[in-house]
Amino acid sequence: MTGPAAHYPVCIVGAGPTGLTTANLLGQAGVRALLIERNPTTVQQPRAVSIDDEALRTIQAAGLIDAFIPRVALDYGSHYLSASGRCFARVEPTTREFGYPRRNAFRQPELEATLRDGLSRFPHIETAFEHTVEDFDQDDHGVRLRVRKPDGSIVEVACDFLAGCDGGRSMVRQTLGIEMVGSSYNERWLIIDLEGTRDTYRQTRVYCDPRQPGINLPGPDRTRRFEFMLDPDETEEAVLDPENIRRLLETHGPDADATIRRAQVYAFHARTAETWSRGRVHLLGDAAHLTPPFAGQGMNSGLRDAANFAWKAAAVIKGDLGPALLDSYQVERRPHAWALIEMAVMLGRVMMPRSPARAWLTQLGFRVLGLSRRAQAYIAEMKYKPKPRFAEGFLVPDGRPAGRTLVGRLFPQPRVETADRRTMLLDDALGGGFCLLAFAADPEVAFAALDRAALAKMGIGTMCITPRSRNVGGGEGAAVRDVDGDAAAAFAGYEDDLLLLRPDRYVAAALPAGDPDAMLKTIEGLFASTWRAGA
Ligand SMILES: Cc1cc2nc3c(=O)[nH]c(=O)nc-3n(C[C@H](O)[C@H](O)[C@H](O)COP(=O)(O)OP(=O)(O)OC[C@H]3O[C@@H](n4cnc5c(N)ncnc54)[C@H](O)[C@@H]3O)c2cc1C
């Protein structure tokens, strides 16, 4: 590139998974943006190895799922083993609630390469690798960045909004003077990445052994990751000694001779930024939250941030919604990210018993839980994982209790069939943007009383899902059939409502279908709230 142009609606600092995903989503939304990365290329070293269903749905929204999925080992679980090697708990989720298996193995460098390649689809997304953001300032009108070019000179760039996706040591966060807060959790782990594994065990094994707690994770293409927790008195030098690594591999399966791609000691934290947004600058990904690795959620949370931030930034930049919409970014994302950090810390306690007595007690607890089918399913299906659900933000609460309302939840992604008999995931049928979703036998009747022109003016489309037993004919407007009955289950208790889905597929409102005037007023009120200061 010859050098960045003077002004962009959005500048993104950092081309890790969070920044790259944000750039792709803005690309899809047609928003001009500049992505600035200090390194010459995306990450080459192994980092994250576990990607969840929500993150895969975001890659789908970025239009890259077909390119990425061949690089993912889909659908694997975790077995928790006692010190004697006995499996005392199994996590093997079977749900495809959001369109994909809940636990999947991948390699972060491959995801980043896919995301980087994906940017070439968008002439309006520019990248500046080997460029470092040195500092910035902001006022009511915009943000000005000072960027160091590869030749050492400084160039100034201006933007309306800055996305700080610059990782755990975030310069953006530090420049804003924002502290990280949270627990005092601070553990060191030895991470060993192998190639050419001989171990055919499919599931992740978690060694809940107080003498040497560890995790053994299979990856795609015969890769394998070991993670071992270190004692405070173990030195980095001693644990990285090749002898020590071979000894650990020998005692954990048939991989003593596998190729060691990398061995490194990492310190993990459980923290979040005290605030994620200040003025026109927003923190995303590791810049906003740091999580221990047990739940494999650090990057996944970053992709959730990208999915939440990108459509809001796009709507504000296009003038479709007011600037106060971006206030809802941290209101929605911060509590959920923290809930996942707490889950990781909780899992850590199970995985890393500090004494044989504690290990015995924990495992006894699981044995007792195993007597109840419900408790067994709770663990196996990962129901302890905090649901993608917002209590407040850009939504209209419907007064139902938190556990029962659909409002604020990520809507499931069932398989649907189009009029020409193609089967696809719901989001592919919906496309981008807001959508009023109905579940009804007759699509014409479902939307008959609605002022569709008024909805179209607000950028809201309509879609009707017909029951499994009812084919979709031609000429009925946008309609698809519920292939597996999952849409019917998702609408349980809301059969008489239309659901307003946001572009990130969270439910913004549940609106009684019988009162179209009230429905329109509610939506207009929600949209208008984004133009009010402090909304
Ligand atoms: C060993 C290990 C295992 C992990 N396992 C998992 C897992 O299984 N699942 C999971 O979800 N997460 C996992 N994580 C966490 C995951 O890797 C991180 O959460 C993820 O990389 C964060 O992405 P990010 O884009 O927010 O930040 P980063 O990946 O840190 O990217 C930030 C980017 O910003 C750039 N940058 C920084 N400052 C500047 C500047 N001033 N100017 C320009 N560019 C700048 C950096 O060079 C970097 O490329 C793991 C992490 C580690 C270390």
Side-chain angles (χ1 to χ4, degrees):
M1 67 171 280
T2 51
H7 177 268
Y8 297 83
V10 182
C11 278
I12 302 163
V13 192
T18 308
L20 286 161
T21 303
T22 305
N24 273 283
L25 293 172
L26 290 173
Q28 292 278 66
V31 171
R32 266 182 75 235
L34 173 67
L35 173 65
I36 308 166
E37 166 58 50
R38 68 181 167 202
N39 290 328
T41 183
T42 48
V43 74
Q44 304 299 307
Q45 292 295 329
R47 289 184 78 188
V49 290
S50 186
I51 189 162
D52 69 12
D53 46 354
E54 296 169 58
L56 288 177
R57 190 172 183 180
T58 298
I59 306 295
Q60 178 191 351
L64 293 170
I65 198 69
D66 291 339
F68 182 53
I69 223 80
R71 297 166 161 198
V72 182
L74 288 168
D75 191 15
Y76 70 93
S78 289
H79 290 175
Y80 287 70
L81 309 178
S82 69
S84 64
R86 200 181 59 79
C87 178
F88 66 89
R90 289 168 200 270
V91 176
E92 292 176 333
T94 54
T95 177
R96 296 276 193 285
E97 185 182 8
F98 298 124
Y100 301 93
R102 194 144 276 174
R103 294 187 83 248
N104 312 285
F106 83 116
R107 287 186 279 177
Q108 187 168 332
E110 296 198 338
L111 172 63
E112 293 196 14
T114 307
L115 289 166
R116 185 180 177 175
D117 291 350
L119 292 177
S120 63
R121 297 171 295 166
F122 308 116
H124 49 284
I125 302 290
E126 288 177 47
T127 56
F129 281 82
E130 283 189 282
H131 285 64
T132 303
V133 178
E134 297 290 338
D135 61 12
F136 65 90
D137 61 76
Q138 63 169 325
D139 57 24
D140 289 348
H141 306 289
V143 186
R144 283 162 306 279
L145 313 175
R146 278 158 294 282
V147 182
R148 190 170 298 283
K149 293 167 69 176
D151 64 8
S153 63
I154 296 283
V155 63
E156 286 214 0
V157 184
C159 57
D160 298 328
F161 298 102
L162 178 65
C165 305
D166 53 341
R169 297 202 175 103
S170 171
M171 175 280 306
V172 174
R173 190 185 67 230
Q174 289 177 35
T175 303
L176 293 172
I178 296 173
E179 299 288 331
M180 291 298 268
V181 293
S183 80
S184 58
Y185 182 95
N186 182 3
E187 301 284 2
R188 289 175 316 139
W189 284 69
L190 168 63
I191 310 291
I192 307 169
D193 283 292
L194 303 181
E195 285 170 358
T197 178
R198 291 214 190 100
D199 195 339
T200 53
Y201 200 94
R202 176 162 175 78
Q203 315 294 18
T204 292
R205 273 162 288 178
V206 184
Y207 305 111
C208 307
D209 179 351
R211 290 165 304 179
Q212 182 70 79
I215 313 174
N216 176 345
L217 303 106
D221 302 324
R222 293 188 63 209
T223 56
R224 184 164 292 279
R225 152 84 51 90
F226 281 96
E227 303 178 351
F228 293 107
M229 197 187 88
L230 303 185
D231 277 338
D233 54 354
E234 278 182 297
T235 67
E236 201 165 318
E237 199 191 0
V239 296
L240 287 173
D241 185 285
E243 278 295 299
N244 181 57
I245 290 173
R246 287 290 166 211
R247 181 190 60 76
L248 285 168
L249 294 179
E250 263 166 25
T251 47
H252 290 87
D255 276 334
D257 297 326
T259 306
I260 297 171
R261 167 87 164 77
R262 184 198 59 157
Q264 202 166 328
V265 171
Y266 278 98
F268 290 104
H269 305 275
R271 291 207 180 133
T272 179
E274 58 186 346
T275 178
W276 288 23
S277 301
R278 188 157 288 164
R280 295 173 166 271
V281 184
H282 303 271
L283 302 175
L284 289 78
D286 276 18
H289 43 78
L290 293 170
T291 176
F294 324 116
Q297 281 296 322
M299 186 203 74
N300 288 301
S301 280
L303 264 58
R304 286 185 199 99
D305 300 343
N308 191 290
F309 172 79
W311 77 265
K312 292 177 178 174
V316 172
I317 285 158
K318 291 176 179 174
D320 295 341
L321 291 169
L325 175 65
L326 278 165
D327 297 348
S328 68
Y329 164 64
Q330 74 154 344
V331 169
E332 292 179 351
R333 283 293 311 132
R334 195 172 180 274
H336 186 257
W338 183 247
L340 279 160
I341 291 171
E342 286 187 316
M343 177 187 83
V345 172
M346 180 274 289
L347 284 178
R349 285 199 196 109
V350 173
M351 290 178 184
M352 304 174 314
R354 297 292 183 159
S355 66
R358 207 176 261 193
W360 183 82
L361 270 176
T362 307
Q363 288 153 28
L364 179 72
F366 273 92
R367 229 179 294 165
V368 173
L369 285 176
L371 298 175
S372 145
R373 265 221 192 123
R374 235 173 120 181
Q376 227 174 32
Y378 180 81
I379 296 164
E381 292 294 332
M382 284 182 83
K383 290 190 178 161
Y384 52 81
K385 184 181 174 191
K387 290 226 172 344
R389 177 164 74 197
F390 309 132
E392 49 179 336
F394 183 75
L395 46 87
V396 185
D398 64 357
R400 300 193 196 191
R404 297 228 324 267
T405 181
L406 269 183
V407 175
R409 282 192 191 214
L410 179 60
F411 192 72
Q413 190 178 206
R415 291 193 314 148
V416 294
E417 187 186 66
T418 58
D420 58 359
R421 304 286 178 266
R422 283 178 302 130
T423 297
M424 60 182 68
L425 289 170
L426 177 66
D427 293 0
D428 291 335
L430 296 180
F434 283 94
C435 182
L436 259 188
L437 190 64
F439 185 79
D442 187 339
E444 283 303 307
V445 173
F447 297 119
L450 273 184
D451 183 347
R452 290 207 214 182
L455 288 176
K457 241 190 199 162
M458 288 191 279
I460 303 171
T462 57
M463 173 66 79
C464 179
I465 307 182
T466 63
R468 202 171 173 210
S469 57
R470 156 100 195 210
N471 276 336
V472 177
E476 291 171 320
V480 288
R481 186 177 74 91
D482 182 13
V483 173
D484 306 303
D486 292 341
F491 263 89
Y494 284 88
E495 292 84 356
D496 297 330
D497 288 349
L498 300 184
L499 301 179
L500 178 64
L501 298 194
R502 315 186 323 182
D504 59 0
R505 301 307 165 221
Y506 278 75
V507 180
L511 305 155
D515 193 347
D517 290 341
M519 181 181 318
L520 211 56
K521 258 199 201 126
T522 304
I523 300 175
E524 281 168 352
L526 176 65
F527 281 25
S529 71
T530 64
W531 294 99
R532 286 196 290 270

